[in-house]
Structures are given as C-alpha cells and as structure tokens.
Amino acid sequence: ARSLDKLYNFADCSGLHLIFALNALRRNPNNSWNSSNALSLLKYSASKKYNISWELGNEPNNYRTLIGRSVNGSQLGKDYVQLRSLLQLIRTYSRANLYGPNIGRPRKNVIALLEGFMKVAGSTVDAVTWQHYYIDGRVAKVTDFLKTRLLDTLSDQIRKIQKVLNMYTPGKKIWLEGVGATSAGGMNNLSDSYAAGFLWLNTLGLLASQGIDVVVRHSFLDHGHNHLVDQNFNPLPDYWLSLLYKRLIGPKVLAIHVAGLQRKPRPGRVIRDKLRIYAHCTSYHNHNYVRGSITLYIINLHRSRKKIKLAGTLRDKIVHQYLLQPYGKDGLHSKSVQLNGQPLAMVDDGTLPELKPRPLRAGRTLVIPPLTMSFYVVKNVNALACRYR
C-alpha cells in the first residue's frame, strides 16, 4: 500500500496519469489468473479514490522463460475478461480504462498470441499495446543509432499488428506502450546519450504519421540506461528532446513533400533516407506562436551538412530554429546537449531553463549540421489545417 501511495502521489504531483500493471504471473493450478491479490489492491486504491487505469502483465510471450509456464492468447483473453468484471464490481473503476496485452516484438508466435487474445478479449481493452526495442542491449555501439535500416524496423511491426486488429476489432487504437533504444535495460554511455535521440525522435515522428497517438517511454528514472533523467534527477539528452517535442509539436500531422530526396532506386538497391523530415501543426498550448503555425522536425544522419529551402507559402515567413547538438568533448556519447549553442541545464531543482529559439530571417535557407536533430517553427503561416483543433 505504501509503495502505491508513493507512486500515485508522484504521478499526481507531476500531472501524469498512472496506468498500473497488475501481476499476471499469479496462476491457479488450471493456469487461470489468480486475482485475489489484485482485488485487494483494487479495493485499497478505490478507498483512496485513486484515478488509475489498468493492465494485466507485461510481455506475456516471455512467461515461459520467467515462470516455466506459458499462457496462450485465449487464456490471456479470459484473464482480461475476468479483470474487466472485477473493475465493474468496484464503483470507482467501473468505467476505468484497461489496456493490453503489452506483447513483445510481433514475431510469428507473438502474433498468434495476439490473435488468440483479440478473439476473446478484443472488445474489453481500450487500446492494444505492444513494446519495441531497437537493439539488443548486449551488442549496441554508437554507430548502430545511425543505421536507417534500424530506424525503419518499426513500420513493419505496426503493419503486422494492424493486420490482426483489422481482422477482429477494426478501428481499435494501438499504443506503443514500451519503447527504448536497447533491450536488457540499455547500455551505459549509449542508450542514455545524445546518439539515442535519433531513434527516439524518429519513433515519435513515424508513429504520429501512422496514426498512433500514444507512446510510453521506458523509462523515466532508475531502470537500466534507457531513462530520461539520471540518479540526481538531472535531465539526459532524450529528456530535452521530449520537452522540446511537447512544447512545439501539436497532434495534427501534416503531409510533407521534399523535392530532391525522391531519387530513383537502382535495381537491387534500397534507398534509405538519412534526412528525415516530419511536419505537424505547432502545439496549441504554446502561446509564443499563433494558431496556423507549422513545426518541422528534422533528423540529419548524414556526416555532412544539408541545406533546405522552404517553398510556397512557407518561403517568406520568419522561422524559429531549435537546434540540438551534443555538448562537451564526448560527441555522440555526450549526456549533455546544447540548444542553439547554449548548454541546457536545470536552473535549480524545480526550474527548467528557458528554451530560446534562434530567429531566422524570412526566405533564409535552413542549414542542418551533420548528425543533429532540430525543430523549426514556421511562424504565422495561417495554415488552414492548423487554425482549428
């Protein structure tokens, strides 16, 4: 109870919503879920009027490895139906959200598990969840984070999961409910460094363009090396990246055409874009920019700088640049970043620094330095798609 109190209070004070994963490894002799412990916890949190969403278990495809007992999709579905019934018994949680089954990488056996689950329990969950890790944590090296082939593995996984959902529950939301640069808790000086940001920013852009609106990051603090803040709560590079993304990027995704990138592939050769450009309406919550502004975010994996000219109605607008680069002598391994040349650090324990843009005059070519991530707000475009929610 004390652990739950601490966890809930932390989430509540931070303006976060808590999704609590109940233990699915407590099993009856017939392999069904033993819910007695979960019921005690539900009753306790209801007595405290905690506003919590729920799920059951984590990566069910790995249960055999963990407890020597596998759970197939239909049994997991029955367990979720049982949990939904428990929630409906408790007034506080009769309408609580339920998420799952939080599967691992959708290989053949995992897809079979998902199919069995969706057949039995597809209607009981509010969103279908899965986890994705880009790299095996034991073999990661800094150049792995620059591989376009790696950045593209996510699209294939989304297609596989979408196919199952279209069969059983068309239109059901998909969430990426666990993402990290590397598995096995990540690698020190790699998955907590500037270089890991390329994967993180590309994940956010790619998922948004595919209509997936929730991404849950592993993790905030203390687990392995995929976290966003260090042991002293100092922000790591991906924290600053996430903060800029939240401040500048709205939920509405825009189509983008980049002339000069659409080269014709030669036979047997796949063109993998090393310059990735995404566009959204600027966040309505950012009062520095009027509605109708557009934000581009750009990943440059080239080892040379690239130049971009804005065309059409964007050509004669003032642009605000937010360029993130590693700070200090460690380069891509750095755990500190600079924004437009200024190092980013907390002002004090409770105060974030001002994230100051660099204004670029109207019509100026955007120069993207090598191996960088950047955001560009095109001000006062009055884009029709961005004027209204």
Side-chain angles (χ1 to χ4, degrees), residues 284-339:
Y284 297 137
H285 300 298
N286 193 322
H287 302 304
N288 295 325
Y289 301 110
V290 297
R291 287 199 178 186
S293 300
I294 286 172
T295 303
L296 308 172
Y297 48 110
I298 301 174
I299 299 166
N300 182 12
L301 292 169
H302 289 277
R303 293 180 182 275
S304 56
R305 66 181 189 167
K306 296 293 163 189
K307 294 181 178 179
I308 294 170
K309 266 189 167 15
L310 299 178
T313 51
L314 308 185
R315 183 181 292 141
D316 57 349
K317 302 291 184 234
I318 290 172
V319 174
H320 275 184
Q321 171 186 279
Y322 297 83
L323 172 64
L324 278 179
Q325 292 172 290
Y327 177 68
K329 60 185 187 310
D330 294 326
L332 293 176
H333 285 280
S334 179
K335 293 186 185 181
S336 303
V337 293
Q338 51 186 329
L339 176 66

Side-chain angles (χ1 to χ4, degrees), residues 19-20 22 52-56 79-85 87 95-100 117 121 123-129 172 175 177:
I19 303 169
F20 192 96
L22 295 161
I52 299 178
S53 297
W54 304 92
E55 64 182 13
L56 181 59
D79 301 338
Y80 263 79
V81 171
Q82 186 185 345
L83 174 55
R84 178 55 88 186
S85 305
L87 293 172
R95 293 188 175 178
N97 285 340
L98 179 60
Y99 305 109
F117 174 84
S123 60
T124 68
V125 290
D126 295 280
V128 171
T129 57
K172 179 76 71 179
W175 287 11
E177 221 213 34

Side-chain angles (χ1 to χ4, degrees), residues 15 100-101 110 152 159 250 318:
V110 181
D152 295 335
R159 275 193 299 274
I318 290 172

Side-chain angles (χ1 to χ4, degrees), residues 197-243:
F198 297 121
L199 290 182
W200 179 223
L201 189 57
N202 190 66
T203 299
L204 294 172
L206 186 68
L207 291 174
S209 67
Q210 303 255 1
I212 291 174
D213 29 82
V214 174
V215 183
V216 180
R217 164 69 188 229
H218 274 191
S219 58
F220 181 68
L221 171 75
D222 210 34
H223 174 72
H225 300 284
N226 283 326
H227 46 238
L228 291 173
V229 300
D230 70 15
Q231 300 298 325
N232 301 313
F233 281 86
N234 293 312
L236 290 161
D238 276 4
Y239 181 94
W240 297 116
L241 193 53
S242 306
L243 183 63

Side-chain angles (χ1 to χ4, degrees), residues 6-24:
K6 281 182 183 175
L7 186 61
Y8 187 81
N9 290 334
F10 170 76
D12 200 38
C13 290
S14 308
L16 301 169
H17 178 70
L18 181 62
I19 303 169
F20 192 96
L22 295 161
N23 187 349

Side-chain angles (χ1 to χ4, degrees), residues 348-383:
D348 56 45
D349 278 356
T351 314
L352 288 161
E354 194 183 343
L355 301 175
K356 285 184 185 167
R358 181 185 169 207
L360 306 178
R361 61 178 164 72
R364 181 172 162 176
T365 300
L366 308 182
V367 179
I368 321 294
L371 302 175
T372 54
M373 294 162 273
S374 46
F375 297 80
Y376 294 90
V377 180
V378 189
K379 294 183 69 181
N380 309 328
V381 180
N382 206 17

